[in-house]
Amino acid sequence: MQDDLVARIAAHPQYIQLKRRRDRFGWTLAVLMLAVYYGFVLLVAFDKELLARRLGDGVMTLGMPVGFGVIVFTIAITGYYVRRANAEFDTLSDAVVKAVGKEIKS
């Protein structure tokens, strides 16, 4: 019975749509995060002078706000993922559960 239920869920069109949307969204955010993180690492490795430039007369360099921006970007895309998962992906998941539940009962 359990294998039959898994097969029904996996073949359900709404589940396929959910999986496709969630996977595409997750990979898009992963690529964005990798680009930002490795872009920062490559700047540190290959253009230290750019990041070492002082901002104004103080001791702050350009690298400090850029590094802080990487952290803020990480938090922002995590929040965006959670918000979209709670709104869109949970709704689609609930629809699959209801549809498969109806199929089992009938």
Side-chain angles (χ1 to χ4, degrees):
M1 179 66 185
Q2 189 70 20
D3 291 338
D4 181 46
L5 178 62
V6 171
R8 282 185 186 183
I9 292 171
H12 199 277
Q14 286 178 314
Y15 176 76
I16 294 168
Q17 178 188 19
L18 166 67
K19 188 172 179 335
R20 188 177 302 129
R21 281 185 180 180
R22 191 182 57 210
D23 288 349
R24 186 177 4 176
F25 185 61
W27 280 110
T28 300
L29 291 183
V31 167
L32 284 172
M33 186 63 236
L34 287 171
V36 168
Y37 178 76
Y38 283 110
F40 179 70
V41 170
L42 289 172
L43 270 176
V44 169
F46 295 111
D47 201 356
K48 291 180 180 106
E49 295 79 25
L50 174 69
L51 295 177
R53 285 188 192 160
R54 292 194 185 275
L55 298 177
D57 294 330
V59 295
M60 184 180 291
T61 63
L62 183 61
M64 295 170 85
V66 171
F68 184 70
V70 171
I71 294 168
V72 169
F73 179 77
T74 304
I75 294 167
I77 66 168
T78 301
Y80 180 56
Y81 179 84
V82 169
R83 197 175 103 218
R84 184 164 174 191
N86 287 340
E88 180 181 347
F89 302 146
D90 285 354
T91 303
L92 284 172
S93 183
D94 291 343
V96 169
V97 169
K98 286 179 185 176
V100 171
K102 286 180 184 177
E103 290 176 9
I104 292 173
K105 289 180 184 177
S106 55

